[in-house]
Amino acid sequence: MNEIITARGSLLIAGVTIDGATVDIAVDEKGTIAAIGKDAKKTIDADIVIDGSDRIAVPGLVNTHTHAAMSLLRGYADDMILQDWLSQKIWPLEAHLTGDDVYAGTRFACLEMIKSGTVAFNDMYFFMDRAAAAVDDMGMRATLAYGFIDLGMEEKREAEIKATETLVAHVRSLDNPRIRVAVGPHSVYTVSPEGLRWCAEYAAEQEIGIHVHLSETEKEVVDCVARFGKRPAYLLDDCGCLTPRTVAAHCCWLDEAECRLLAERGVTASHNPASNMKLAVNRAMPYHWLKAAGANVSLGTDGCSSNNNLDLMEEMKFAALLQKFAWNSPTLLPAGEAIEMATAAGARALGTGPGTLTVGAPADIVLLDARAVCNTPLFHADSNAVYACNGGAVMTVLCQGRVLMHEREVPGEEEIVREAAAAARSLVDRAQDSS
Ligand SMILES: C[C@H]1O[C@@H](n2cnc3c(N)ncnc32)[C@H](O)[C@@H]1O
Ligand SMILES: [Zn+2]
């Protein structure tokens, strides 16, 4: 194994390119960027030196909407409409999930995210104590939420409340600054207003975030208006779920007033363009309205059964292209903004730092291959990163100063892949045996 991966301590990335300039980046033993510039090496006595020549440094990417363990369901059910896909294929299979599956699936998802430059993610799923163990093993950051689904049934609500409280207590007991917890009311069509209200009050009391699906499909909006007499964002707001710590995934069918409401409440809207196109939700997030209103807009992949990968480099391109195409505007969401969505906006949403390469920021750093085909010629690094490259251009990944991948090597990769394949096989076999 490459010795840089196993080494611990302070670190110097020597002669790396940032915004066209060649600099050194010094990282102290706490994992903070201590200095950037020609004299950075003087600030620390580096235990590790990484050669930054032919490398472009960018901030670590932040994926603000995932169901990480769904990596086990990659390719299991494709080419369906959302309601059928969930109710006929995904939920029946998820009923057979075990904690071991979630551990294997989340570790596998972390591997894929690291290999494509992601350092932090916002996850909503089940058996999240096991997801936490996987995140801890892989050295990433994550905000973990239990997917709260009460389907309007009081008994189920009680169970979901217990599961949420148990996860919050568990994550607190880990006392790991890289792992945080949030409340995860799935959506307005799977959680009753009572459930939503409980989630909002509990999140406020615990001072933690809320992770929710919002206005993914037109049907969600139409049904919500028919049942509750208001659009989904207003229902969430009435229940107290729209806060500066809320991440609302999708936001495809928001109207202009809902965009302003999200901005006023300080909510982050997570764009998930690949999933939206694959499930044909038939409307792109109105990014221009959210932007005009001043809302924070971040980027996510959604789960591996609707994407079908976790490559946020690719997702930046999907976001930029979908926005231009859907709103008929080639100037909408330029490359620089797509990178902002995938870095600073995501970091702001999850509270993981500024999401920039600046002194005092956590050393969440990605090194891209400047010599790769996708980076040649190198007129504009942002343009190449968004429009030409994918995760394959990511060579080295640091999270809080710890090297998670170097020269595309991640410790334990083969075993992680083998275990995920076995877990996926066994999950599908168990589901088939019972049907
Ligand atoms: C947390 C829950 O969310 C489900 N899930 C996965 N993808 C989507 C989506 N695009 N929309 C709604 N729910 C989704 C998971 O399958 C799980 O049941
Ligand atoms: Zn989702």
Side-chain angles (χ1 to χ4, degrees):
M1 196 190 304
N2 196 303
E3 61 190 18
I4 284 179
I5 299 177
T6 46
R8 292 283 178 275
S10 60
L11 179 149
L12 188 79
I13 306 174
V16 73
T17 301
I18 302 181
D19 297 330
T22 304
V23 295
D24 292 348
I25 305 175
V27 176
D28 65 24
E29 57 287 330
K30 289 195 188 117
T32 305
I33 299 179
I36 301 175
K38 286 208 163 62
D39 297 328
K41 59 166 115 12
K42 292 181 189 153
T43 61
I44 55 160
D45 183 16
D47 299 307
I48 314 159
V49 178
I50 294 178
D51 180 8
S53 55
D54 298 325
R55 298 287 177 263
I56 298 164
V58 295
L61 306 182
V62 181
N63 188 338
T64 52
H65 181 61
T66 58
H67 310 285
M70 287 184 91
S71 59
L72 299 185
L73 278 57
R74 189 193 327 266
Y76 173 72
D78 299 308
D79 314 318
M80 300 177 73
I81 69 162
L82 183 103
Q83 293 82 10
D84 295 351
W85 171 76
L86 276 177
S87 62
Q88 294 169 16
K89 291 286 186 177
I90 300 301
W91 285 338
L93 190 65
E94 285 178 342
H96 296 273
L97 272 175
T98 64
D100 287 347
D101 293 335
V102 169
Y103 177 77
T106 307
R107 215 160 63 117
F108 181 49
C110 288
L111 171 68
E112 188 182 4
M113 287 191 266
I114 291 166
K115 294 206 85 166
S116 45
T118 293
V119 297
F121 62 105
N122 190 35
D123 204 48
M124 180 205 290
Y125 215 53
F126 315 114
F127 301 101
M128 296 306 278
D129 54 325
R130 304 302 305 280
V135 173
D136 191 21
D137 287 354
M138 299 301 286
M140 292 180 74
R141 299 180 193 282
T143 299
L144 306 174
Y146 170 76
F148 186 117
I149 296 177
D150 70 9
L151 303 173
M153 293 182 276
E154 196 170 333
E155 228 168 76
K156 183 117 174 75
R157 181 154 61 250
E158 290 308 317
E160 299 300 82
I161 288 173
K162 273 221 169 64
T164 301
E165 289 174 337
T166 303
L167 178 67
V168 171
H170 175 72
V171 172
R172 289 207 194 286
S173 77
L174 297 176
D175 197 23
N176 180 339
R178 287 186 288 99
I179 304 179
R180 298 178 181 206
V181 67
V183 181
H186 175 270
S187 63
V188 298
Y189 57 92
T190 51
V191 186
S192 64
E194 294 76 17
L196 293 171
R197 240 173 253 125
W198 181 85
C199 287
E201 279 165 22
Y202 186 66
E205 174 197 309
Q206 296 288 322
E207 302 184 332
I208 58 180
I210 297 175
H211 184 180
V212 64
H213 292 95
L214 173 60
S215 290
E216 184 175 9
T217 62
E218 185 174 27
K219 180 174 162 43
E220 174 181 338
V221 178
V222 170
D223 290 354
C224 185
V225 171
R227 278 177 73 192
F228 304 109
K230 58 191 103 174
R231 296 174 66 90
Y234 289 99
L235 179 63
L236 286 185
D237 194 42
D238 286 352
C239 296
C241 286
L242 299 187
T243 79
R245 287 191 235 238
T246 301
V247 176
H250 303 302
C251 297
C252 306
W253 284 86
L254 295 183
D255 68 15
E256 215 172 336
E258 287 177 296
C259 290
R260 285 196 297 268
L261 175 65
L262 260 60
E264 270 166 36
R265 297 287 184 262
V267 171
T268 292
S270 176
H271 192 17
N272 306 281
S275 168
N276 295 160
M277 287 191 280
K278 184 161 185 269
L279 291 166
V281 302
N282 213 23
R283 191 168 185 264
M285 163 196 272
Y287 173 68
H288 51 304
W289 291 340
L290 286 161
K291 192 183 161 190
N296 191 41
V297 181
S298 62
L299 192 62
T301 54
D302 209 352
C304 254
S305 191
S306 58
N307 187 301
N308 291 6
N309 67 35
L310 303 172
D311 186 336
L312 213 62
M313 293 282 290
E314 254 183 27
E315 203 73 26
M316 293 196 288
K317 179 173 181 173
F318 281 126
L321 267 52
L322 175 61
Q323 287 299 324
K324 292 174 215 307
F325 182 78
W327 303 105
N328 195 27
S329 167
T331 58
L332 192 59
L333 194 44
E337 269 174 52
I339 293 177
E340 282 259 331
M341 273 171 93
T343 56
R348 203 174 302 137
L350 303 189
T352 56
T356 55
L357 298 183
T358 43
V359 173
D364 291 358
I365 304 173
V366 165
L367 303 184
L368 302 171
D369 184 1
R371 288 278 182 91
V373 168
C374 70
N375 264 326
T376 308
L378 191 52
F379 293 127
H380 300 288
D382 284 3
S383 166
N384 284 351
V386 173
Y387 295 122
C389 292
N390 60 25
V394 174
M395 302 304 291
T396 294
V397 175
L398 274 71
C399 181
Q400 194 72 44
R402 181 171 155 198
V403 182
L404 304 187
M405 175 170 85
H406 187 57
E407 298 297 307
R408 295 204 60 74
E409 187 180 341
V410 181
E413 173 163 357
E414 267 178 41
E415 185 228 349
I416 294 166
V417 173
R418 214 181 317 116
E419 286 199 350
R425 185 72 265 156
S426 141
L427 172 61
V428 172
D429 286 350
R430 287 195 311 272
Q432 254 154 17
D433 285 350
S434 79
S435 66

